[in-house]
Structure formats: structure tokens, C-alpha cells
Amino acid sequence: MAHQIEPLIACRECDLLLREIPLFPNDVASCRGCGAQLYRNTPNSLNRTLVFSLTAAILFIIANAYPILGIEIQGTRNATNLYGAVYSLWNHEMRIIALLVFATTILIPAVELTMMIYLLLPLCLRRKPPGIALNLRILQGIKPWGMIEVFMLGVLVSLVKLNDSFSIIPGVALWAFGGLTFMFATVAASFNPRDVWAHLDREPDGKGST
Amino acid sequence: MKQAEPTAAGLGLRSCHICGLLSRSDESAGATHCPRCRTQIHSRKPNSVSHCWALIIAAYILYLPANLLPIMETGSLFTYREDTIMSGVVHLWKTGFWGISTIVFIASIMVPLFKLIALTLLLISVQCRSTWWPMQRAKLYRLVELVGRWSMLDIYVVTLLAGLVQLRSLATVKAGAGAIAFGAVVVLTMFAAMKFDPRLIWDPLRKENIL
Ligand SMILES: [Zn+2]
Ligand SMILES: [Zn+2]
């Protein structure tokens, strides 16, 4: 059988065995052997991440509901939202690319935000949602595949390319995507799975003493 | 040289990649589950080197069609042009968009090539059990992981242009077959980077100390 040993940790990148030391707020611990980031002390990280995730969820809905860009030439105009662009690719026999874009800019960010809120909302209300381990495993697995910030850069490049031959009508979703890029960055910076486990170790049944 | 540095594997310990908990495993091989979160844990990522090679070789092969086939077709009443990734960059440069052209060049041409070469070097060095510049190789791997996703840029640009520019006879944009190969290169190299285990860089240095 396996048994726990604390408070030692191993570096993820070089396997060096290290003693876990307490940090000042906003400090980062790095590995003595390879310089990899080990952990951070983000004060109140669960509550903060929840607020950022809820904001991101609202922006995400706006970003997908409204057109990103419109173009006009000689009185003919066309506008599209993200889903419309994906659907157009699907109809033009580019199904694999349509699926790739759909997964990385719509599906995975949506799943990421849903799971984040599912996990953090009960924890912040001092309850324990079922399936925390599975939730964190999935969150970690899909994280590299959510690419809102890359898509945002793609929107800017498209804007420049289109500006050459069309007049451009910026859509509501353009601003929403800008905000969403920022919110995803703050969620990534404040969320720390380690804090979830620390929280659970302190309050195993989810019921706080005070 | 440095004195003996204790590693988790050297002491028969494994750390969980999900929750970070360190636990002792009696068997050196075989599956163990993390006592806290029940994730299956391994001392090193299983088959890291061989799977990573397979993904990289597939990416090298697709790298050719990704760069030779057109990724975008632009048509109107009077004109028609096909753009590969490189000709798109050149066209942007010629029309005076130097900044954007540089960004696209870095994201679409430099980054995929850098990833392929960097991962190849890392794999060879790990297979030779090289003790050469471990810190630089660790930093190289971190850079590969950091920049990999930005290659998707061109896929998104093509998606947006093809979605927007559908003005019948006036102008239409279509995605080309090169986009599929290019998307595959990005996805394959991302999987390869995830499959590579950076701890293998450090193992040869520390084995000497343990034994
Ligand atoms: Zn380390
Ligand atoms: Zn675990």
C-alpha cells in the first residue's frame, strides 16, 4: 500500500526532492535544481478565480452571440460570429479544420469555464462538489487546447488583411473577445489546483469550522 | 560538481501530476494510484521517447504539404490567387504590413520549425543520456511548451476570412488543403511536447550520484 509523506514535494520537471516552504503572499517558489516554477502563494485564490471565471463566462456568451466583424464593399455586406465562421468551413468541405477551430475556441473554453465554476462555486460556499479529482484531471488535460488568446491575435491579423479591400464594421463580439482574452489570462494566473487540495485537506467534509 | 541530489525516483517515491502529492510505491514498475486523488501515476511518462518520436516524424512528413499546398484561395470576378503560408507572408510584406507580416512569419513558419528541431535535439540528447547543458535543455523545453499554441494563428485567420468574405461574385475566400496539413502539424507537435518528459534530461546527471 502507498502511504503519504509530507511536507516533501518533487519538482515536476526534474524530479528533485524538495522541502515545501511557506511563502509570502504573491511569491513564487522555484526549483533549486532546474529553475521550474513549483508553486505560488496567491492570496484568496479560490474566491478570486471564481469571480474571474464568472466574468469570463458572461463575456464568453456575448462573444459567441454577436458578430465579431462585418465587411462592406459596394453596398454588399456580410458579418459573422465565431460559430458562423466555423459553420461556413464545415460547409466548404473543410470539416477537420472546422472541428479543430470549434474545439479550441468554443468547446474547450466553454467546458473549462463550466468545470471551473462547478468546482469553485460550491467550495467558496463551503460545500464539496462530487468528482473533484476527475474535474481537476480533465481541467489539466484540456488546458493547453483552449486558445482564446491565439484566436484574438487571429482576429487582429484578419482585421489588417481585410482593411486593405473592404470597409470594416467592428462587432460587439470583437470587444468581448478582447475582454475574454484578458479574463482567461487572469483565471490562469490565479487558479492553483494545489490550493483546492489544501482547502480540502483543511476541511475534508467541506464544512468549515468557522 | 554538485553533491548527490535526492530525486523522488531515486528514493522510490512518485509524485502525482494532478495533485502534487508524493507517495511511496512498493513496485518500481506497474501502475500505482495516487492515495489522495486516485489518478494513475508513473515515475516517468510511459513510452515517452518512442511516442514522442512517432509524433514528431508524422509532423515532419506533414510539414511539407503544410508549406507547399495553398492554405487560402481568394477569388473575385477578375482575380484569383492561391496563397501558401509563405506567399501569404510575402504578400503582406509587399503590401506594407511589416508588423503583421513579421508576426505571421514567426507564428506560422519559425515556431513550427523551431518546435520540430528543438524536440528532435531534446530526444536525441535524452537517448544518448547526455549530461550536456541540462539547464539550457530544460529552458528549451519550457520554450517549446510556451510557444507551441501560437502556430494556430494562421488557421484562425483562414477561418475568419473564409467565414466573412463570401460575397458571391465580388469576392470569396476558401480554405485550401494546406490548412489541414498545417493544422495537423500544430496538433501533432503539441502532443509531442506533452509526451516528452523533461525529467529524462536530468536523470543521467543524477543516476551517477545515486549509485
Ligand atoms: Zn526541478
Ligand atoms: Zn494525486
Side-chain angles (χ1 to χ4, degrees):
Chain A
M1 265 313 286
H3 64 271
Q4 290 175 230
I5 296 157
E6 289 210 314
L8 286 175
I9 51 168
C11 171
R12 259 160 207 274
E13 293 193 23
C14 73
D15 212 28
L16 193 66
L17 217 51
L18 300 153
R19 198 164 294 281
E20 194 174 334
I21 52 163
L23 294 179
F24 289 112
N26 298 315
D27 270 2
V28 178
S30 2
C31 172
R32 163 168 64 81
C34 73
Q37 197 189 104
L38 296 168
Y39 55 90
R40 284 166 299 175
N41 178 1
T42 319
N44 207 5
S45 77
L46 299 187
N47 284 312
R48 276 166 62 167
T49 313
L50 178 63
V51 173
F52 295 146
S53 303
L54 289 169
T55 316
I58 295 165
L59 287 171
F60 183 80
I61 293 167
I62 299 171
N64 280 286
Y66 293 94
I68 304 170
L69 290 176
I71 51 169
E72 189 183 334
I73 184 171
Q74 297 170 17
T76 316
R77 47 171 81 193
N78 191 22
T80 187
N81 61 6
L82 177 51
Y83 182 76
V86 170
Y87 189 67
S88 163
L89 270 189
W90 178 268
N91 283 338
H92 285 91
E93 303 303 319
M94 280 287 158
R95 302 212 164 149
I96 299 171
I97 297 297
L99 285 176
L100 183 63
V101 175
F102 178 75
T104 52
T105 58
I106 301 178
L107 182 66
I108 288 168
V111 171
E112 219 178 327
L113 288 176
T114 312
M115 295 188 83
M116 206 66 111
I117 293 166
Y118 168 85
L119 176 76
L120 295 175
L121 191 61
L123 284 180
C124 290
L125 298 172
R126 299 190 169 281
R127 288 194 181 80
K128 191 182 162 185
I132 290 181
L134 180 66
N135 192 304
L136 286 172
R137 228 176 288 164
I138 295 174
L139 270 176
Q140 187 164 318
I142 63 176
K143 200 182 170 207
W145 300 102
M147 303 193 187
I148 292 285
E149 79 281 25
V150 184
F151 177 73
M152 186 65 217
L153 185 61
V155 173
L156 297 180
V157 172
S158 308
L159 211 71
V160 172
K161 282 196 168 188
L162 290 165
N163 199 24
D164 215 10
S165 18
F166 306 96
S167 53
I168 292 176
I169 311 141
V172 176
L174 184 65
W175 313 112
F177 266 111
L180 194 57
T181 306
F182 179 70
M183 284 334 279
F184 263 98
T186 50
V187 167
S190 66
F191 183 63
N192 210 338
R194 195 173 156 273
D195 292 338
V196 175
W197 294 108
H199 180 93
L200 290 173
D201 286 347
R202 252 181 286 127
E203 303 168 13
D205 54 353
K207 304 268 191 293
S209 47
T210 44
Chain B
M1 265 310 280
K2 278 177 271 178
Q3 59 179 39
E5 305 230 60
T7 60
L11 297 171
L13 300 168
R14 290 174 183 191
S15 78
C16 171
H17 59 282
I18 298 296
C19 72
L21 185 75
L22 204 60
S23 57
R24 179 170 296 282
S25 61
D26 294 334
E27 278 180 89
S28 52
T32 315
H33 292 266
C34 170
R36 179 156 65 181
C37 72
R38 313 307 309 162
T39 306
Q40 195 178 347
I41 51 176
H42 304 272
S43 181
R44 297 290 177 268
K45 294 177 189 172
N47 303 317
S48 167
V49 171
S50 59
H51 287 184
C52 196
W53 267 127
L55 290 162
I56 287 183
I57 290 166
Y60 268 120
I61 294 167
L62 284 165
Y63 188 78
L64 286 177
N67 282 284
L68 295 175
L69 294 177
I71 71 160
M72 200 163 80
E73 297 164 24
T74 318
S76 70
L77 264 184
F78 310 107
T79 59
Y80 174 80
R81 60 177 282 140
E82 283 185 343
D83 271 311
T84 60
I85 292 170
M86 194 64 206
S87 76
V89 171
V90 170
H91 184 69
L92 270 177
W93 184 270
K94 278 184 182 159
T95 40
F97 297 113
W98 298 313
I100 290 288
S101 146
T102 310
I103 291 173
V104 177
F105 179 74
I106 292 171
S108 308
I109 293 175
M110 299 277 280
V111 168
L113 200 60
F114 162 74
K115 276 177 84 176
L116 285 171
I117 294 171
L119 283 170
T120 306
L121 287 176
L122 285 171
L123 280 171
I124 292 172
S125 79
V126 157
Q127 278 189 311
C128 300
R129 303 190 60 76
S130 162
T131 52
W132 174 76
W133 281 8
M135 188 66 104
Q136 274 65 29
R137 282 184 288 145
K139 281 183 182 158
L140 184 67
Y141 176 67
R142 253 169 251 157
L143 192 61
V144 167
E145 280 210 303
L146 188 73
V147 299
R149 51 205 283 106
W150 291 93
S151 307
M152 282 290 277
L153 182 67
D154 247 9
I155 298 285
Y156 295 140
V157 173
V158 169
T159 304
L160 280 165
L161 296 187
L164 264 176
V165 188
Q166 295 294 337
L167 305 174
R168 303 188 193 287
S169 58
L170 282 172
T172 51
V173 169
K174 268 179 71 185
I180 296 174
F182 186 77
V185 171
V186 178
V187 171
L188 287 170
T189 49
M190 276 183 71
F191 273 121
M194 285 173 206
K195 197 69 206 177
F196 183 80
D197 194 332
R199 290 170 291 195
L200 299 176
I201 296 173
W202 299 91
D203 280 346
L205 283 107
R206 282 154 185 173
K207 278 278 155 47
E208 296 164 7
N209 295 327
I210 290 161
L211 296 175

